[in-house]
Amino acid sequence: MKFYDTPLAPNPRRVRVFMAEKGIEIPSVAIDLGKMEQKSETFSAVNPRQRTPALELEDGTVITESVAICRYLEALQPEPNLFGRTPLEIGQIEMWSRRMELNLLATIASAFRHLHPAMAAMEVPQVKEWGEANRDRIVTELTFLDRHLKGREFICCDRFTNADITGLIGVDFIRPTRVPIPDDLVELKRWHAGVSARPSVRA
């Protein structure tokens, strides 16, 4: 297998952390988005959507989208389990993973992509008003998560799951948006410090 990665991008990082939690090592190829390598003929043949991550299997099959790649890897190596063992766990982890991706990470990404000058060549057109609207929503999403985390070490199921991976990477991705995390979100900061201490986070 071959993993097409972009070291500073949040979605490939989700897969790297997932693989590190499972102890999976896959040879990787770095795709530099700043140099527009994702638009090259070579990578476009791998993923016509011109986005990372992508996982190329031994037979040439390519799986794209971070969650799809992680689902494939979980099916290959079920333990340690990150998507749920029981019907209830599966439902809870899916619910919170989607909340972390669609409400938190997507909001942060929209603010970054539509406001940061370095993204102008990739986000065409950049819509400043959309970026600012999402930037204003970031603290709302953080506050929602902060309230939920009261009395909890992890986002759900009393253990580290894919929901924590997505939430962690979302919070880390706030930095380039220059939105300060309010000091009173103490539950969020406690949780973030705890999950950030895991060795997999450095993947």
Side-chain angles (χ1 to χ4, degrees):
M1 289 191 285
K2 185 186 301 181
F3 179 61
Y4 292 87
D5 189 12
T6 299
L8 297 180
N11 283 316
R13 186 182 175 213
R14 292 165 69 184
V15 179
R16 292 199 309 273
V17 173
F18 191 93
M19 290 193 296
E21 284 287 329
K22 288 184 171 288
I24 296 173
E25 295 183 7
I26 299 174
S28 65
V29 177
I31 303 298
D32 190 329
L33 304 186
K35 295 180 179 178
M36 295 294 183
E37 290 179 355
Q38 75 276 19
K39 295 184 179 296
S40 69
E41 184 176 339
T42 300
F43 185 70
S44 295
V46 174
N47 183 9
R49 298 287 297 183
Q50 301 178 335
R51 297 174 182 174
T52 56
L55 181 66
E56 185 174 357
L57 308 186
E58 298 296 339
D59 66 357
T61 300
V62 175
I63 301 173
T64 66
E65 307 300 333
S66 55
V67 175
I69 294 170
C70 291
R71 288 281 190 184
Y72 175 78
L73 295 174
E74 176 113 325
L76 285 182
Q77 184 173 308
E79 296 296 334
N81 177 275
L82 296 169
F83 277 112
R85 298 186 183 92
T86 66
L88 179 59
E89 280 194 352
I90 291 168
Q92 289 179 324
I93 293 168
E94 186 69 16
M95 175 180 73
W96 280 102
S97 292
R98 290 179 66 80
R99 285 175 170 175
M100 293 300 97
E101 180 169 21
L102 301 178
N103 298 116
L104 180 63
L105 182 55
T107 297
I108 295 162
S110 293
F112 173 70
R113 294 181 69 89
H114 287 274
L115 293 175
H116 201 288
M119 294 300 296
M122 283 181 267
E123 195 65 44
V124 181
Q126 275 190 317
V127 182
K128 182 180 179 182
E129 293 79 8
W130 179 241
E132 289 174 344
N134 279 279
R135 191 176 188 274
D136 292 343
R137 287 180 50 210
I138 291 173
V139 172
T140 299
E141 296 301 332
L142 294 176
T143 301
F144 176 83
L145 181 56
D146 178 79
R147 288 198 301 265
H148 170 73
L149 286 167
K150 186 173 183 179
R152 293 182 171 91
E153 183 179 359
F154 302 108
I155 289 178
C156 62
C157 300
D158 295 322
R159 60 188 176 86
F160 187 81
T161 69
N162 184 64
D164 294 286
I165 293 174
T166 306
L168 162 73
I169 287 166
V171 172
D172 285 349
F173 196 46
I174 291 172
R175 190 174 299 110
T177 71
R178 298 181 181 176
V179 172
I181 298 176
D183 291 336
D184 62 346
L185 299 186
V186 293
E187 303 295 344
L188 175 80
K189 292 187 174 185
R190 171 191 54 76
W191 162 81
H192 183 259
V195 293
S196 294
R198 299 177 76 86
S200 63
V201 172
R202 296 189 290 275

